[in-house]
Each structure stands twice: as structure tokens, then as C-alpha cells.
Amino acid sequence: MTRIRIEGLLAAFPKLVGTGKQHTYVETENVRYVYQPIEALYLLLVTNKQSNILEDLETLRLLSKLVPEYCYSLDEEGICKTAFELIFAFDEVICLGHKENVTVAQVKQYCEMESHEEKLHKLVLQSKINETKDVMKRKASEIDKSKIDKNKGDKGGFMSMGLGRIEASFSDMSISSTGSGVGGGSGAGVTTDVDTFSTKSKGRQPSSATAPPKGLGMQLGKSQKTNQFLESLKAEGELIFEDVQPRAGQSRVAAPAPTDPITLTAEEKLNVTLKRDGGISNFDVQGTLSLQILNQDDAHIQVQIETGGNPGILFKTHPNMSKELFANDNILGLKDPSRPFPTGPAGDAAGVGLLKWRMQSADESMVPLTINCWPSVSGNETYVSIEYEASTMFDLRNVVISVPLPALREAPNVRQIDGEWRYDSRNCVLEWSIVLIDNSNRSGSMEFVTPPADSSAFFPISIRFSAASLYSDLKVANIIPLKGGGAPPKFSQRTNLITENYEVV
């Protein structure tokens, strides 16, 4: 089977799988797709229609057991990190298109078997590395020793020269019987030597006077050239971050550290793909609820939550959580109530994951922000009108709408805009920024003019924003202490909706 054939089969799979279906296989004219959802991903087995589907399902179950054995997290990043290990494990299960009669333990044993040739090669390589390090150390010690000997030689020459001058001055002295000649000769000899030295020194200024302060002269010249370079980069649209040392007491952490004993953070990531002619091709919301506890004394707790009752949202608890407790009472607690939750320092903003949820929809009314782009060519110019419409579900913050442009010599002519704009000349992108979209500006528009270009040059349009509300409307109702029997500990809840991939194509 060719690579193009495989890529074509994989590209067709997402179009064949619909949302809300409980089937585990899809058949086409030539092949059969047997799949199993794993978190937000699919484990897919492509076979021909003549194969035994029961054997295919058994093979798929075995592969699904192997994935958690090699992947620490069942997401795209975790799969990519252990891609080669998964390929080797899958290769032990399937050979030439047929399933091998192996178990999970046997596959792990086969993949972990050591090779004598590999160990020998590693030992030889390590010995060469150690030998090279020893040679480097010897060379370094020889260089240091030669520098020390050279410095000693220079100092010895100066001292011998000075002694020679003193002996010469004493030899020229006239010694009288009264002893005054010694004093006069000594004074004359020493004074002559010192005067000679001072006269030679007067020929040039001392090094402390001629040399500029350390780094000052170079810093001025460097600063001027650097500023010119930075200004040119800024003119091209690059973001320049000044290298400023933080002041004493200035915080390096962007997000405020939690101060309450218990902090629960609910975050939803939005993946939306809109069509330029209207309609929606993808709408996916993935949410997580994480817990952060500062003190070990508050770790024996249970968390009671309230959900918005949206039937389209599917919740999934952490494997260590009690599923029955959550299904019956909406309480998140460990399967073993005697175990405490992990605790972490105030700087650890990740927390411990308790709950995940996901929502998919084809309803366009669920989209928080829609974009309409109308390019039209008139003569030697292209007029582009863009408007946004925001739903009343959320108040959107820090909205940035990035519109790709054809290669331009200068910034486009923005004639009208509701908000602010910035042109990134290096990436040929026009960024439209709105600080806040609320009931006062649920709709807005921008119009700009560029040289003549095809309408497809202004797509895809990417959007970024955040909001303080959630689709799930999840709220923490109460914290239930399991030890002590006292009042519930103080807690705080944070909610955040962000865009992970939001485009108009």
C-alpha cells in the first residue's frame, strides 16, 4: 500500500465519524474503519471488508491496552513524545497485516529485551568519551601551567632589572669618611632613578586617565546601533522585549499566586472552525477542573460541584475519583477516602486534575464570535470590509482578529475601524484589537484598502480572546472536610475560557 493511499484513507476518516454515534466501525466501498475513542483521540484500525470483524475488535482492544502502558498522558503531546515506542509495540502485535498471538506482558518484554551488540557499542562509545575528556583535562592543565610560568618569568625580569638599577646607583656613590656622602649619594642615585621613571611616565597619560570607564564608551556606541536595529525591527512589526532586570520585589509570575488554602480552577479551551461563506465546520469545547491545596492539613476533602445541566456536555472523572459518588451526588472524592489529595507550593499553578468535560455541536448559535469578510476589487485597489458579531453569552476580553494580507511594501490604508489596529510587515498580518466586547459593542467593523489581490489571500482569519464564563456553567458548591469535623476550609474558584484554535477558513 502506497503512502498516498494511506494518507487518503486517514483523511477520509474524520468525515465518516459523526458526533453522538455509538458505533465502533464504519464501512466504505473498499475498507472498514474499526475505531475506539481514547480521551480526545481515536485509535483507528483500517482493514479490508473481508477480514473477520471479531478478530479486528480483539486486535483493537489489545492495542488500546498498550497505549496507556507507554503514554503518560493520553493527549496529542503525550502520544507524540512516545511515538516510536508505540510503533514498536504495535509492530509486535501486527505482522504483515495479521495479528500475532501475544499479550500485553509479552509485548512489553519483547520491546525491553536488551541487545548485547548495542550494550557493547554503548560501552565503546562511553570509553571514547571518557578518554576525550581526560585529554581535554590534561591539555587544560598544561595551558594553565604555561600561563603561570609565563607570569612568573615576566615578574622575575622586572625585579632583576630593578635590582640592577639600585646596584648601579650604589656603585656610583662617592663614600666619604663622615658618612654624609653615603646619604647624599644614596639620595642622588635613588632620586635620579625615580626622576627618570617619572619623566618617562610623563610622556603619556596614565592608563586610568586615558582609558574610558569600563563598558561606558562601548555601551554608548553599542546602544546607538542597537537602538537603530531595534527601531527597524519594530517598523517591520516585530515584538521587541527590552532586557530589563526586574526590580527588587518585582514579581516574575504573570498570574497571581493563590492565597487561599484551597483553589479550584475551571478552564475551557475552544476549538472552532467557521466557513467564510457562513456555517460551522467544527465546534469543540474541552474543559478541565483542577485543584490546588497549599497545606497538608486541608488535603482530606471532597468537592461538591454544580453543573449547568447541559445535556451536550460529557463529563469524565479522573481514574482515582469515585465515579459512583460523582454520578449520584455530584461530589468529587477519592476512591480511598483515607488518602489525602496532593499538595503543592503556591507557585505551582497547574494543580491536580479532577474532572474533564467535552462538548461538540453543529449549532451556529453556540459560537461566541462570528466574522464576516468581504473583499472586493475595484480598479487597482481591493476594498476589504470585516465585521464581527458577538453573542450575548459571554463578555470577551483581549480580542485579537488576525487577517493575513498579500505581500505589501507598506501598511494597508485603514479607513474605518472600531478598536485599534497593528500591521506586522514581516508576517504580512493585520491585527485588529478590541480590549472588551460587552453589551455596548456586540458588533463592530473595519475597512481597509490594499493593492489588487485574490479574495483567498485574506484567509484563514485567526481569532484570540478570553472570557470569565464557561459553557458548562460549572460551579463549586461546597468543600466537605473528611477529618476534624470543623468548619469547611476557605476556598476560591477561578474560571477562564480561552481559544486554542479559532479560525475562519
Side-chain angles (χ1 to χ4, degrees):
M1 186 178 292
T2 62
R3 175 183 175 182
I4 298 177
R5 172 64 173 163
I6 296 174
E7 291 179 348
L9 293 174
L10 295 178
F13 174 69
K15 302 176 183 178
L16 299 174
V17 178
T19 58
K21 295 182 179 180
Q22 300 297 326
H23 301 291
T24 58
Y25 71 94
V26 177
E27 290 188 354
T28 63
E29 184 178 354
N30 298 319
V31 298
R32 177 189 297 129
Y33 296 93
V34 186
Y35 62 93
Q36 178 177 340
I38 300 179
E39 297 291 339
L41 304 176
Y42 284 101
L43 180 61
L44 177 63
L45 190 67
V46 183
T47 66
N48 54 29
K49 297 179 68 174
Q50 289 75 28
S51 65
N52 190 337
I53 190 171
L54 296 179
E55 293 183 357
D56 297 339
L57 291 174
E58 182 64 28
T59 304
L60 189 65
R61 277 194 290 270
L62 180 57
L63 295 179
S64 65
K65 293 179 182 178
L66 287 173
V67 173
E69 295 289 336
Y70 291 93
C71 298
Y72 297 103
S73 59
L74 299 179
D75 53 10
E76 185 175 357
E77 182 179 0
I79 297 294
C80 291
K81 286 183 178 179
T82 57
F84 287 103
E85 289 80 1
L86 284 176
I87 292 174
F88 294 148
F90 288 176
D91 185 61
E92 296 293 338
V93 176
I94 301 174
C95 180
L96 300 177
H98 298 282
K99 177 182 177 297
E100 295 285 339
N101 188 17
V102 292
T103 61
V104 175
Q106 289 175 336
V107 171
K108 292 185 66 177
Q109 182 182 2
Y110 296 158
C111 293
E112 292 174 359
M113 289 181 67
E114 297 181 353
S115 171
H116 178 69
E117 289 78 5
E118 182 182 3
K119 291 179 65 176
L120 184 61
H121 172 73
K122 288 182 178 180
L123 289 175
V124 173
L125 185 62
Q126 188 63 37
S127 64
K128 291 182 179 179
I129 293 174
N130 295 335
E131 184 179 355
T132 305
K133 288 182 179 179
D134 294 338
V135 173
M136 290 173 61
K137 289 180 180 179
R138 288 197 299 270
K139 292 290 185 182
S141 62
E142 291 176 0
I143 293 172
D144 293 339
K145 186 177 180 181
S146 63
K147 287 182 179 179
I148 294 172
D149 294 340
K150 184 178 180 182
N151 292 335
K152 287 182 178 180
D154 293 342
K155 291 179 181 180
F158 176 77
M159 291 302 294
S160 63
M161 179 179 67
L163 290 174
R165 289 178 181 176
I166 295 174
E167 290 174 359
S169 63
F170 275 99
S171 65
D172 293 338
M173 295 176 188
S174 57
I175 305 176
S176 60
S177 60
T178 58
S180 61
V182 175
S186 174
V190 175
T191 303
T192 303
D193 195 19
V194 173
D195 289 342
T196 305
F197 180 76
S198 63
T199 304
K200 292 179 180 178
S201 300
K202 289 178 181 177
R204 59 180 178 87
Q205 296 181 358
S207 60
S208 60
T210 58
K214 290 186 178 180
L216 184 58
M218 294 301 292
Q219 186 177 359
L220 290 174
K222 181 181 178 182
S223 175
Q224 185 177 1
K225 293 181 180 179
T226 304
N227 289 338
Q228 293 176 357
F229 180 67
L230 294 179
E231 290 297 332
S232 63
L233 287 180
K234 289 180 181 179
E236 293 180 1
E238 286 295 313
L239 292 176
I240 305 299
F241 298 95
E242 299 292 342
D243 188 11
V244 180
Q245 294 294 334
R247 297 179 180 177
Q250 184 178 357
S251 176
R252 294 176 178 265
V253 182
T259 56
D260 294 323
I262 299 175
T263 303
L264 293 109
T265 303
E267 184 181 67
E268 289 183 346
K269 294 181 180 180
L270 190 59
N271 292 274
V272 177
T273 304
L274 303 174
K275 301 177 182 178
R276 68 182 72 176
D277 299 327
I280 180 173
S281 61
N282 179 42
F283 180 86
D284 181 74
V285 179
Q286 297 184 18
T288 58
L289 177 65
S290 59
L291 170 67
Q292 185 174 359
I293 303 176
L294 299 182
N295 303 320
Q296 186 69 30
D297 299 336
D298 301 325
H300 293 84
I301 60 170
Q302 290 180 344
V303 181
Q304 186 173 14
I305 64 172
E306 295 178 356
T307 58
N310 189 338
I313 299 179
L314 302 177
F315 291 93
K316 183 177 292 186
T317 59
H318 191 276
N320 292 335
M321 297 289 125
S322 173
K323 299 183 183 299
E324 293 79 8
L325 194 62
F326 176 73
N328 298 330
D329 303 322
N330 274 355
I331 293 178
L332 296 170
L334 294 173
K335 293 180 179 178
D336 185 2
S338 62
R339 289 180 54 191
F341 279 104
T343 59
D348 185 13
V352 180
L354 301 181
L355 185 68
K356 288 184 179 181
W357 60 92
R358 187 177 184 182
M359 182 182 72
Q360 293 179 323
S361 176
D363 186 3
E364 194 173 357
S365 63
M366 300 295 292
V367 177
L369 186 68
T370 58
I371 302 293
N372 294 321
C373 181
W374 298 85
S376 59
V377 179
S378 177
N380 292 328
E381 293 179 331
T382 300
Y383 295 84
V384 182
S385 298
I386 301 178
E387 62 177 0
Y388 72 83
E389 293 184 3
S391 66
T392 58
M393 291 187 296
F394 306 109
D395 290 342
L396 308 181
R397 301 172 298 181
N398 302 323
V399 182
V400 179
I401 302 171
S402 301
V403 184
L405 302 179
L408 303 177
R409 294 184 178 179
E410 56 186 10
N413 181 16
V414 179
R415 296 190 173 183
Q416 184 270 331
I417 187 171
D418 294 329
E420 299 178 354
W421 66 278
R422 171 183 169 272
Y423 176 59
D424 184 355
S425 60
R426 174 161 297 190
N427 298 318
C428 293
V429 173
L430 179 62
E431 293 185 350
W432 178 12
S433 303
I434 306 103
V435 177
L436 177 65
I437 296 180
D438 54 10
N439 292 329
S440 62
N441 58 345
R442 291 294 178 187
S443 62
S445 61
M446 175 179 66
E447 183 178 354
F448 61 90
V449 181
T450 66
D454 188 70
S455 61
S456 61
F458 303 98
F459 294 92
I461 301 173
S462 61
I463 304 133
R464 305 192 307 271
F465 59 82
S466 62
S469 303
L470 303 176
Y471 277 96
S472 61
D473 198 19
L474 185 142
K475 296 178 182 178
V476 178
N478 191 17
I479 298 293
I480 305 171
L482 299 181
K483 286 189 177 182
K490 185 180 179 182
F491 71 94
S492 62
Q493 180 182 1
R494 298 175 181 176
T495 57
N496 191 25
L497 172 68
I498 60 175
T499 56
E500 189 173 39
N501 186 17
Y502 201 114
E503 288 184 335
V504 180
V505 297

